[in-house]
Amino acid sequence: MKPTLFVLAAGMGSRYGGLKQLDGLGPNGETIMDYSIFDAIRGGFGKLVFVIRKDFEQDFREKIVSKYENHIPVEVVFQDIHDLPAGFTCPEERKKPWGTNHAVLMGKDVIKEPFAVINADDFYGRDSFAVLGKYLSELPEGATNDYCMVGFRVGNTLSESGTVARGICSTDENDHLTTVVERTEIMRVNGPVCYKDEKGEWVAVDDNTPVSMNMWGFTPDYFKYSEDYFVDFLKDNIGNPKAEYFIPLMVNKLVNEGTATVKVLDTTSMWFGVTYAADRQSVVDKIQALVDAGEYPNKLF
């Protein structure tokens, strides 16, 4: 069974401004998402599911979904801050979504096969989709608790315009994830890659340290774990308007309990993305260079 690609496209784009998921950056106005989907199709994925906000459904269907429908089956689901388990009501002061793992939960009714989760606004590169598609497509039928993530080398994931947030990963001797710690400020400081720790001090890490770029592979049993744990999360956080139910929170729990394993897949792909408005021209130039090198056709779809 071919795996499904689940694209998280409900983000606010707060640091960049506007719906950056729809920003044309390729030579024919292609979005970053177009390149991800092109790479996913040639990496063996068989279906697309997007999670978006209901308020830009029409724009999204006209500008995005219409491009892919003749190439791969497409479904759209919606993330809403009021979509909570029985017994919970969204507080009035809550304005932002409940986080990436809440977005993942929105796919539970339409995804019944192994699936990958990616951000809409990250350029992941061809190799990352190849290694992820291969792992998911080779899982035995009915496999459970056997997950994976693409571990990008941190030195390949920085922005020239400021700090970035990354999940810094630790692995065991079998390349299985042991921990992923979200670090919200990472950049080069006088040469080495560093993150700011809880004390506000810069800590250096090796350029090849694997980091999570929110490129995960799961089997459908992940939805049930996520539903159950979301209830616990809300009990502790319903009154915190900024608390978010992130994927690494769920993954860490399953790994620490010994419930699931997460294989960290190495990739040579260079990540880039529009974290800040100042990144935009650099991304345009990098995409054009890949087209010029023959990595992508001039027109994708």
Side-chain angles (χ1 to χ4, degrees), residues 2-3 29 44 63 67 72 86 93 108 119 127 141 155 166 174 180 192 199 216 230 258 282 286 294 300-301:
K2 288 186 173 184
K63 293 184 178 179
K67 284 188 281 196
I72 188 170
E93 63 270 21
K108 67 182 186 298
N119 294 334
D127 181 70
E141 192 171 340
R166 302 283 179 258
N174 298 314
V180 53
K199 298 174 184 173
W216 301 91
F230 191 37
S282 168
K286 287 172 181 172
L300 291 183
F301 294 104

Side-chain angles (χ1 to χ4, degrees), residues 35-287:
Y35 288 94
S36 291
I37 286 152
F38 184 84
D39 283 335
I41 291 169
R42 63 181 173 179
F45 287 81
K47 184 172 80 175
L48 287 178
V49 178
F50 293 101
V51 57
I52 65 171
R53 295 204 317 273
K54 184 73 176 170
D55 61 3
F56 70 98
E57 179 184 9
Q58 184 177 351
D59 207 15
F60 194 85
R61 287 190 184 278
E62 288 173 0
K63 293 184 178 179
I64 302 292
V65 175
S66 61
K67 284 188 281 196
Y68 312 134
E69 287 180 316
N70 293 328
H71 300 274
I72 188 170
V74 183
E75 300 212 38
V76 176
V77 296
F78 305 102
Q79 184 180 21
D80 189 304
I81 61 172
H82 298 286
D83 195 338
L84 298 177
F88 293 95
T89 303
C90 184
E92 283 185 25
E93 63 270 21
R94 182 86 195 187
K95 301 297 182 220
K96 67 188 305 184
W98 288 99
T100 49
N101 212 50
H102 179 251
V104 170
L105 269 175
M106 302 304 105
K108 67 182 186 298
D109 293 330
V110 298
I111 298 175
K112 306 300 180 189
E113 56 285 314
F115 65 100
V117 176
I118 66 165
N119 294 334
D121 47 13
D122 287 309
F123 192 104
Y124 291 105
R126 179 178 186 169
D127 181 70
S128 62
F129 285 98
V131 298
L132 186 54
K134 183 174 188 292
Y135 189 91
L136 292 175
S137 63
E138 291 177 353
L139 287 172
E141 192 171 340
T144 59
N145 304 322
D146 187 349
Y147 308 150
C148 63
M149 59 158 277
V150 177
F152 283 76
R153 301 168 189 181
V154 67
N156 289 347
T157 74
L158 305 177
S159 166
E160 294 156 18
S161 306
T163 61
V164 294
R166 302 283 179 258
I168 293 188
C169 302
S170 303
T171 58
D172 64 16
E173 65 277 7
N174 298 314
D175 295 321
H176 284 136
L177 186 70
T178 53
T179 59
V180 53
V181 179
E182 193 71 17
R183 298 295 182 183
T184 55
E185 293 184 72
I186 301 177
M187 64 187 297
R188 287 196 186 276
V189 180
N190 301 322
V193 178
C194 297
Y195 66 83
K196 192 174 279 188
D197 68 9
E198 292 80 1
K199 298 174 184 173
E201 296 174 359
W202 290 106
V203 179
V205 293
D206 186 85
D207 267 41
N208 290 326
T209 301
V211 294
S212 165
M213 296 301 306
N214 228 29
M215 194 177 199
W216 301 91
F218 298 115
T219 44
D221 51 291
Y222 184 78
F223 291 121
K224 182 68 171 79
Y225 295 130
S226 296
E227 279 188 304
D228 293 345
Y229 191 40
F230 191 37
V231 172
D232 295 337
F233 173 87
L234 289 172
K235 285 176 183 174
D236 294 335
N237 295 282
I238 191 73
N240 180 352
K242 294 188 175 179
E244 292 189 59
Y245 185 36
F246 291 121
I247 294 169
L249 194 68
M250 182 76 253
V251 168
N252 268 334
K253 175 178 164 60
L254 294 173
V255 167
N256 291 337
E257 291 174 347
T259 302
T261 58
V262 179
K263 185 82 167 182
V264 178
L265 308 173
D266 182 42
T267 183
T268 55
S269 283
M270 297 283 291
W271 170 93
F272 51 88
V274 184
T275 305
Y276 303 93
D279 295 329
R280 188 183 187 282
Q281 189 56 48
S282 168
V283 170
V284 170
D285 295 342
K286 287 172 181 172
I287 290 174

